[in-house]
Amino acid sequence: MKILAIYPWTHISSSALMINGKLVSAGPEERYNRQKWSIDFPIRSAEWCLRDSGLKWKDLDIIVVPWNPAHNINSASSRWDNNIRWRGELLSNIPTNIMKSLKEKPADKMEISFGKTKILYLNHHECHAASAFFGSGFKRSDFLTIDGHGETETCVSGYFNGNKLVKTNSIHYPHSVGLLYGTFTDFLGFKPDSDEWKTMALASYHTKKNTFEKKADKLYRLTKNGFELDLSFFDYYHFDKKPNFFNKKFCELFGPPRLKNTKITSRHHQIAAALQRAFEKIVFHLLEITKKKGCKSGNVVLAGGAAMNCVFNGLLTKKGIYKNNFIPPWPDDSGVGIGATYLANFIYKKKIHIKYPTNVYLGPSFSNKQIYETIKKYNLKYQKPKNLYSFVAEKIARGNLIGWFQDRMEFSHRALGNRSIIADPRKKSFKDKVNLAIKYRESFRPFAPATLEEHAEKIFDLKKSEKVYFMEKAVKVRKKWKNKIPAVVHVDDTARVQTVSKKLTPKFYKLIEEFNKLTGVPVLLNTSFNLNGEPVVLSPSDA
């Protein structure tokens, strides 16, 4: 069975292809059209996925979309669907009017067929859950998904018992943890639904309790089934009718908002920290509810945009609500299409071919011939050292910045060793060097350490068995190592670590191994291979 997922017009559009239960390729549209956070219809990424497997559109059994418009149709405005302007609108007009007339609960899925092609629409949060569960390696697991909003839901929890996905709890729009975080992101002068990780980075600058925490607690209340926001402080649910996610009452509580590109002060650090604490209180409360209603497996998977919060993720093991936890490398909407392929395949075939750790290297690769042609085109100098790894490791140790371009592009917001910029972590000044030379981003944002997995426990506050393959968690750097790798240690002594596997990323592993032989430090500074405002590089020409 050949299943292609497409997900356009959201925070970042993407495509993914599954063949006979195996995920074979995936890519965000931004890498192909070179527009950061592109929400265009993902035609370029979809066509690449098909070409990569020698397929055409007519070869597909199912095209799956991780959004179920049945939930939106039931409440659609009559001004939109009562009259049509051209006959093509019969495609939407007829099902819309019939579904509204039925006055029944929206169906769990929708299908449209033309010829041999079937288009399947699935519930957004169920696809998020599938994107995490099927890559986790768990046979049974609870799940919790949290984002800005799906069709109607903002949080969904339940469990997968090996035979079916069971939903036990949900919270509906406009009560949203994701949009609570987006409101503070907007208030702090950043772009909501995009720059939340900047807000998270700011929060680390104030680790002690502060007066804004009590104020943040006024914005929500914990309930038996989850939480409720006090909507009188927010304008995000007015969409384009209001200029900001926050309103006048919010400003009366927290003071004047920060304007874009103005100075960041201690007050802003404290407000960001208050938000992060509120976020943690709410999500841990949701996890307790999830476990109470779960399948008693001791396992949990998290997905949705909120699962990009690596500071919270780093607390999961220490909190101990669950024995085991898993966050996929694509928890936000960029990866919800991957979940849709898993779920569609499970609905029709119930067979998934996946091995843990999950393969994230699902994008294009390029031959030496293609790379050589690019070098000639741009008239660049080049070398082919006998031992690439020792050659590059020595360059890094001498203070050079390296663009590391290998094999298939990773499907992740984070560079995981195939499209990376790499530097020496031993000097604190290298953080500023990377920023000034390449990234041009805010100085308060940290860079990540990539470390050989067998050395991770001695350097970072991780259990021996704990692996962090996708930079999904921020953890404490052990005291003995803080001064050895200062370029990758954040202001609160944490680092968003990547444990590098010889099996998963053999070339990147060999490079770090050679650097360790030279320096005694099995760690490299790793950041994505791109300029600020650009997507991660895809091709040799981009590089």
Side-chain angles (χ1 to χ4, degrees):
M1 178 172 279
K2 304 173 187 70
I3 302 171
L4 178 74
I6 51 174
Y7 191 37
W9 306 311
T10 180
H11 302 310
I12 180 167
S13 61
S14 62
S15 305
L17 177 65
M18 178 174 281
I19 300 177
N20 296 329
K22 183 179 179 182
L23 185 64
V24 296
S25 55
E29 187 70 5
E30 66 167 17
R31 309 283 174 93
Y32 296 85
N33 65 16
R34 309 309 300 160
Q35 296 171 18
K36 184 76 170 174
W37 295 96
S38 176
I39 61 171
D40 290 353
F41 191 89
I43 191 68
R44 293 174 179 85
S45 58
E47 290 185 341
W48 175 79
C49 287
L50 294 175
R51 283 198 310 274
D52 187 57
S53 292
L55 300 176
K56 295 182 179 179
W57 287 94
K58 66 181 181 181
D59 298 320
L60 294 168
D61 296 292
I62 298 172
I63 298 168
V64 62
V65 181
W67 190 278
N68 183 356
H71 295 274
N72 307 109
I73 286 171
N74 278 30
S75 58
S77 169
S78 60
R79 290 177 297 171
W80 174 68
D81 62 7
N82 274 14
N83 298 298
I84 65 172
R85 289 149 294 192
W86 66 295
R87 296 286 182 175
E89 290 180 4
L90 288 168
L91 186 65
S92 58
N93 176 268
I94 290 175
T96 297
N97 281 286
I98 292 172
M99 290 174 72
K100 287 173 67 177
S101 298
L102 289 173
K103 296 180 181 178
E104 293 180 356
K105 183 181 176 182
D108 286 340
K109 63 180 185 291
M110 285 183 64
E111 293 181 14
I112 295 176
S113 297
F114 49 95
K116 293 181 179 180
T117 302
K118 180 186 289 184
I119 299 179
L120 176 65
Y121 297 87
L122 296 176
N123 291 337
H124 185 74
H125 275 266
E126 289 180 14
C127 293
H128 268 315
S131 78
F133 174 77
F134 287 109
S136 67
F138 300 143
K139 291 183 179 179
R140 297 165 61 244
S141 174
D142 296 348
F143 68 83
L144 174 62
T145 65
I146 307 171
D147 63 7
H149 67 90
E151 299 89 351
T152 61
E153 297 163 318
T154 66
C155 298
V156 173
S157 60
Y159 60 86
F160 191 90
N161 63 11
N163 296 312
K164 61 180 179 178
L165 186 149
V166 179
K167 187 168 78 171
T168 59
N169 194 40
S170 64
I171 294 171
H172 288 253
Y173 187 84
H175 300 283
S176 169
V177 180
L179 291 170
L180 170 68
Y181 220 98
T183 299
F184 278 86
T185 299
D186 188 19
F187 182 81
L188 290 168
F190 305 124
K191 184 179 179 181
D193 287 337
S194 174
D195 291 341
E196 276 73 9
W197 31 37
K198 296 181 183 180
T199 304
M200 183 180 64
L202 274 190
S204 299
Y205 280 78
H206 201 282
T207 55
K208 296 179 181 179
K209 283 190 174 183
N210 68 71
T211 56
F212 290 104
E213 290 187 33
K214 286 187 177 181
K215 293 183 178 183
D217 287 343
K218 293 180 180 180
L219 303 178
Y220 68 94
R221 70 180 185 92
L222 301 180
T223 67
K224 183 180 177 181
N225 290 319
F227 71 95
E228 288 182 356
L229 297 182
D230 183 340
L231 296 173
S232 67
F233 288 97
F234 303 96
D235 271 355
Y236 63 74
Y237 57 92
H238 294 294
F239 292 101
D240 58 351
K241 295 176 184 176
K242 301 286 184 178
N244 297 104
F245 280 24
F246 57 90
N247 62 17
K248 184 180 178 182
K249 187 176 178 181
F250 190 97
C251 295
E252 288 171 353
L253 185 62
F254 289 97
R258 173 181 171 263
L259 299 177
K260 184 179 179 181
N261 297 326
T262 58
K263 184 180 178 181
I264 293 171
T265 67
S266 175
R267 173 175 159 266
H268 301 129
H269 296 158
Q270 291 178 52
I271 291 172
L275 163 66
Q276 181 65 26
R277 308 289 186 276
F279 175 88
E280 291 166 9
K281 287 178 191 175
I282 295 169
V283 181
F284 278 128
H285 178 65
L286 291 170
L287 277 173
E288 295 281 6
I289 294 169
T290 302
K291 186 178 182 181
K292 189 175 180 181
K293 298 181 179 182
C295 66
K296 316 303 180 188
S297 65
N299 305 321
V300 70
V301 299
L302 285 85
M308 295 286 288
N309 192 303
C310 61
V311 174
F312 171 83
N313 296 344
L315 300 173
L316 280 169
T317 302
K318 286 189 175 297
K319 193 74 172 178
I321 296 174
Y322 284 89
K323 184 179 178 181
N324 305 302
N325 59 78
F326 177 78
I327 300 103
W330 41 64
D332 69 322
D333 276 3
S334 67
V336 74
I338 287 176
T341 65
Y342 286 143
L343 193 55
N345 189 82
F346 187 77
I347 289 168
Y348 288 99
K349 289 290 184 180
K350 295 193 181 296
K351 288 184 179 180
I352 297 288
H353 301 292
I354 190 164
K355 294 179 181 179
Y356 183 77
T358 305
N359 177 28
V360 297
Y361 304 97
L362 298 166
S365 63
F366 297 85
S367 67
N368 283 340
K369 182 182 177 183
Q370 289 172 305
I371 292 169
Y372 179 64
E373 286 172 354
T374 304
I375 288 169
K376 282 201 303 182
K377 177 182 176 181
Y378 292 102
N379 196 27
L380 301 174
K381 294 179 182 178
Y382 73 96
Q383 289 177 264
K384 292 186 72 176
K386 288 182 179 180
N387 187 324
L388 174 68
Y389 309 102
S390 60
F391 175 85
V392 175
E394 189 175 337
K395 291 286 185 185
I396 296 169
R398 289 183 178 181
N400 289 277
L401 304 182
I402 302 296
W404 186 250
F405 182 99
Q406 301 288 338
D407 300 330
R408 295 189 69 166
M409 179 183 69
E410 50 268 77
F411 185 89
S412 170
H413 283 293
R414 281 89 186 234
L416 297 172
N418 281 13
R419 299 291 188 276
S420 290
I421 290 170
I422 302 164
D424 191 335
R426 296 175 299 163
K427 292 183 180 179
K428 193 172 184 178
S429 60
F430 273 84
K431 179 187 171 185
D432 293 331
K433 185 174 182 179
V434 174
N435 254 337
L436 290 170
I438 302 158
K439 302 296 282 191
Y440 316 124
R441 69 182 197 176
E442 296 87 352
S443 60
F444 61 82
R445 293 169 63 193
F447 290 113
T451 186
L452 302 178
E453 63 177 342
E454 62 269 28
H455 292 274
E457 183 197 12
K458 73 179 182 184
I459 302 170
F460 305 99
D461 187 12
L462 292 168
K463 292 181 179 179
K464 193 171 185 179
S465 60
E466 198 172 357
K467 308 300 180 188
V468 191
Y469 292 119
F470 317 122
M471 287 189 195
E472 71 272 23
K473 296 180 180 181
V475 296
K476 289 284 185 182
V477 181
R478 298 201 187 275
K479 193 173 181 180
K480 289 182 179 179
W481 279 87
K482 284 191 294 184
N483 293 328
K484 292 182 181 180
I485 52 171
V488 293
V489 181
H490 197 29
V491 66
D492 59 352
D493 295 334
T494 65
R496 193 184 71 211
V497 65
Q498 176 194 3
T499 55
V500 178
S501 160
K502 192 173 188 176
K503 179 182 177 182
L504 198 62
T505 329
K507 291 182 179 178
F508 196 38
Y509 183 95
K510 286 179 185 178
L511 177 61
I512 303 172
E513 193 174 42
E514 289 296 329
F515 185 77
N516 185 37
K517 288 177 186 177
L518 281 175
T519 65
V521 175
V523 180
L524 287 174
L525 183 155
N526 178 18
T527 187
S528 55
F529 197 160
N530 65 300
L531 296 175
N532 188 20
E534 290 185 357
V536 175
V537 302
L538 179 146
S539 68
S541 183
D542 299 334

